[in-house]
Amino acid sequence: MKAIETTATINDLGQLTLDTPLDLAKSRRVRVIVLISEDDEIDPDDTPNEVILEGIRQGLHEAFTGQTIPLAQLWDGIDAD
């Protein structure tokens, strides 16, 4: 049996809608295990869009203004022992 992990939303009728379609060659029945986060549990994959966009903006700004480290120097000073 093959396992595929993905995310989905449960609608008001209790039906699952996958966030992205599964890339399968043919239609078939599947077994589903649903893991539901507790109300007080933080989902590590649920980073707010504003935080993601700010990180992208900062990275682009640093790249455009030359605030980068050359790849050849990336590992300088790291002890690999």
Side-chain angles (χ1 to χ4, degrees), residues 4-80:
I4 299 172
E5 183 175 344
T6 188
T7 54
T9 303
I10 300 174
N11 67 18
D12 294 337
L13 300 174
Q15 299 168 330
L16 291 174
T17 302
L18 299 180
D19 293 341
T20 56
L22 300 178
D23 187 21
L24 301 174
K26 59 183 177 181
S27 297
R28 60 176 73 171
R29 291 194 46 81
V30 297
R31 294 174 60 192
V32 178
I33 298 173
V34 179
L35 303 173
I36 300 173
S37 300
E38 298 293 330
D39 289 337
D40 60 348
E41 187 177 15
I42 297 174
D43 184 355
D45 294 330
D46 210 10
T47 304
N49 289 343
E50 297 80 24
V51 174
I52 295 169
L53 290 173
E54 181 55 33
I56 293 171
R57 284 187 197 102
Q58 180 180 349
L60 287 172
H61 172 74
E62 290 173 3
F64 289 140
T65 58
Q67 300 175 36
T68 60
I69 299 171
L71 189 57
Q73 297 175 6
L74 190 61
W75 298 107
D76 286 354
I78 294 179
D79 189 8

